């Protein structure tokens, strides 16, 4: 896979060649003469949190305060359901079916999916709705805690996760790392790839295979011994 410095060099060279052609210094554009760099698949393991550190994120929330109740509910939604930040902020009050124990997730491309509502997640959301969510005409579940009260943004979810990491004393990660953590832990528990793909709502199962690489032990088990060497 091409290094970042080589990619920068190619980009700069192409920009220079475009300049030469645009200013009439070369009669034709020489940009096509610069070969494209090969883009290899991911060669590094995606980052995930250990299960212990993930639990610490939730445990670090002060649920005696409105903001702590909200943060705990959001972290559990991220960790137990693997939602994207935008899906968390797009969750509406009408999307939760308390009787059936389901949630409607409005994902990419206008796709809607029904997911089971885990008891732990449902309880955390209920605690927030009863004693943490400020009065508002908005139908979004998660709101800001300071005026002006408005729906929480995806960037706000990211900031919330960063602060939770700081409180818990773990490596600073973003919301998508919690999604990868769920995928990895589900695979480690013995679930097939198809089940993880369904959990994450991937249309293409090949996308899910990226998350499998996060399990270093599982990847190492697939390695074959080098001919004439020792494993």
């Amino acid at each position: 896979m091409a290094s970042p410095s080589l990619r920068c060099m190619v980009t700069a060279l192409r920009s220079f060649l475009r300049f030469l052609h645009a200013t009439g210094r070369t009669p034709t554009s020489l940009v096509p003469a610069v070969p494209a760099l090969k883009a290899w698949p991911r060669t590094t393991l995606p980052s995930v949190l250990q299960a212990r550190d993930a639990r610490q994120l939730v445990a670090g929330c002060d649920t005696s305060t409105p903001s702590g109740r909200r943060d705990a509910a959001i972290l559990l939604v991220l960790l137990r359901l693997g939602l994207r930040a935008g899906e968390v902020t797009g969750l509406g009050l009408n999307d939760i079916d308390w009787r059936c124990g389901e949630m409607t997730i409005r994902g990419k491309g206008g796709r809607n999916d029904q997911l089971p509502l885990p008891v732990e997640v449902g309880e955390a959301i209920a605690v927030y709705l009863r004693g943490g969510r400020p009065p508002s005409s908005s139908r979004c579940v998660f709101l800001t805690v300071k005026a002006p009260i408005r729906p929480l943004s995806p960037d706000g979810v990211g900031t919330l996760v960063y602060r939770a990491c700081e409180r818990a004393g773990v490596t600073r990660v973003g919301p998508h790392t919690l999604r990868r953590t769920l995928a990895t832990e589900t695979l480690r528990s013995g679930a097939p790839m198809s089940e993880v793909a369904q959990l994450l709502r991937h249309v293409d199962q090949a996308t899910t295979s990226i998350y499998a690489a996060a399990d270093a032990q599982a990847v190492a088990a697939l390695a074959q011994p080098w001919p004439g060497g020792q494993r």
Side-chain angles (χ1 to χ4, degrees), residues 186-187 191-202 205 208:
T186 304
L187 286 170
M193 191 72 69
S194 58
E195 184 176 318
V196 178
Q198 183 178 8
L199 174 64
L200 298 181
R201 292 160 287 113
H202 285 156
Q205 189 169 311
T208 312

Side-chain angles (χ1 to χ4, degrees), residues 11 34 145 160 173:
T11 300
V34 181
V145 294
L160 181 155
V173 299

Side-chain angles (χ1 to χ4, degrees), residues 106-170:
R106 308 187 186 283
K108 291 183 176 179
R111 175 178 170 180
N112 295 338
D113 294 284
Q114 268 67 44
L115 291 182
L117 179 62
V119 173
E120 184 183 17
V121 176
E123 289 178 346
I125 294 177
V127 167
Y128 164 66
L129 293 178
R130 288 197 300 261
R133 186 179 185 273
S136 173
S137 60
S138 173
R139 299 300 293 172
C140 290
V141 173
F142 298 111
L143 307 176
T144 57
V145 294
K146 296 181 179 179
I149 302 300
R150 59 192 182 278
L152 194 64
S153 68
D155 286 343
V157 173
T159 300
L160 181 155
V161 175
Y162 297 152
R163 290 176 178 171
C165 292
E166 293 174 358
R167 287 195 302 267
V170 303

Side-chain angles (χ1 to χ4, degrees), residues 28-43:
T28 59
S29 175
L30 299 177
V31 172
V34 181
L37 296 176
K38 180 65 177 179
W40 295 99
R42 180 190 291 272
T43 56

Side-chain angles (χ1 to χ4, degrees), residues 45 50 184 188 212-223 231:
L45 298 180
Q50 296 298 318
T184 303
R188 285 175 178 168
D215 190 346
Q217 294 179 349
V219 173
L222 298 176
R231 184 169 180 174

Side-chain angles (χ1 to χ4, degrees), residues 1-2 4 10 14 17 38-39 45 59 65 116 124 142 158 160 163 185 206 224:
M1 184 176 180
V10 169
R14 286 177 172 167
L17 293 176
K38 180 65 177 179
L45 298 180
T65 66
F142 298 111
L160 181 155
R163 290 176 178 171
E185 291 300 321
Q224 298 297 312

